Amino acid sequence: MRRVREVIVVEGRYDKNALRQVVDATVVETRGFGIFNDRERLALLRRLAEERGLILLTDSDGAGFVIRNFLKGAIPKDRLKQAYIPDVYGKERRKAAPGREGKLGVEGMNPGVLLQALERAGATFEEERPAEARQGVTKADLYQLGLTGAPDSGARREALLRRLRLPERMSANALLEAVNVLYARDAFLALAEGAEGDS
């Protein structure tokens, strides 16, 4: 499985699942039109774009292009690559009927088509990861650091988020998702423990 350096942005979880069968990459969902009102998620996408670059891979229907155009205006152009799937008519297996325009979305595409779309977009393919995957930050780590489960967890999390230049209102789950993309576990733990010393 080929590893992609950039973070790939898709509309929903079924798209994410389909893509994870094709490449080893960090895949983030817009949650469909939810991205329009989710400042935290948009701020996270901007940060991920700054750190690793983004590849935008939405469905080829009207809704997919609305989301694509919104993100094109919100993310610096030099940090965003565009991946397009072709118009293929049909319906996904999990659905009872085709979508409004009758086109397959990202989740319904053949794996070869998805890989080709990423290649055409200029995805940066890296060497395969070693057999041992890097250990990520866990919910237990956040608890141990007092970022969850304690009376002052919210305030501690906000202070850490400011220090990490992430949106201050991120939930513990959103924090976990972000730090596992942006930091190696040891680097994050050192930053989080350093933040305790500052308070």
Side-chain angles (χ1 to χ4, degrees), residues 16 18-19 34-35 47 53 56 83 87 130:
K16 183 176 185 175
L19 212 48
I35 192 65
R47 177 74 187 277
L56 189 51
D87 286 340

Side-chain angles (χ1 to χ4, degrees), residues 133-139 141 176 179-181 183-186 188-189:
R134 81 173 192 182
Q135 184 181 6
V137 178
T138 65
K139 285 189 176 184
D141 293 324
L176 196 59
V179 299
N180 277 316
V181 172
Y183 300 97
R185 183 174 188 273
D186 292 340
F188 169 74
L189 294 176

Side-chain angles (χ1 to χ4, degrees), residues 5-65:
R5 171 168 169 63
E6 294 89 355
V7 173
I8 303 172
V9 181
V10 296
E11 293 179 52
R13 68 179 171 167
Y14 293 104
D15 300 332
K16 183 176 185 175
N17 292 342
L19 212 48
R20 285 196 165 158
Q21 305 295 318
V22 178
V23 290
D24 178 6
T26 300
V27 184
V28 177
E29 306 163 39
T30 66
R31 297 180 182 147
F33 290 145
I35 192 65
F36 300 149
N37 299 315
D38 191 340
R39 288 187 207 163
E40 264 187 23
R41 186 154 290 264
L42 188 55
L44 175 60
L45 289 177
R46 285 181 177 133
R47 177 74 187 277
L48 294 172
E50 178 186 316
E51 298 286 329
R52 303 233 319 251
L54 299 181
I55 298 175
L56 189 51
L57 180 61
T58 61
D59 294 349
S60 61
D61 60 6
F65 274 87

Side-chain angles (χ1 to χ4, degrees), residues 33-128:
F33 290 145
I35 192 65
F36 300 149
N37 299 315
D38 191 340
R39 288 187 207 163
E40 264 187 23
R41 186 154 290 264
L42 188 55
L44 175 60
L45 289 177
R46 285 181 177 133
R47 177 74 187 277
L48 294 172
E50 178 186 316
E51 298 286 329
R52 303 233 319 251
L54 299 181
I55 298 175
L56 189 51
L57 180 61
T58 61
D59 294 349
S60 61
D61 60 6
F65 274 87
V66 169
I67 294 166
R68 182 183 294 275
N69 289 331
F70 172 76
L71 289 173
K72 279 169 67 174
I75 306 291
K77 287 181 181 163
D78 66 327
R79 305 302 303 155
L80 185 63
K81 295 177 180 177
Q82 303 289 334
Y84 296 95
I85 58 170
D87 286 340
V88 176
Y89 291 87
K91 74 168 192 66
E92 283 84 8
R93 276 187 266 166
R94 71 177 178 88
K95 295 180 179 177
R100 189 180 318 170
E101 295 180 32
K103 298 176 184 177
L104 290 177
V106 170
E107 73 172 278
M109 286 292 128
N110 174 295
V113 171
L114 292 176
L115 188 57
Q116 195 173 46
L118 294 172
E119 288 171 345
R120 282 195 314 259
T124 306
F125 291 98
E126 299 179 335
E127 295 297 318
E128 290 184 28

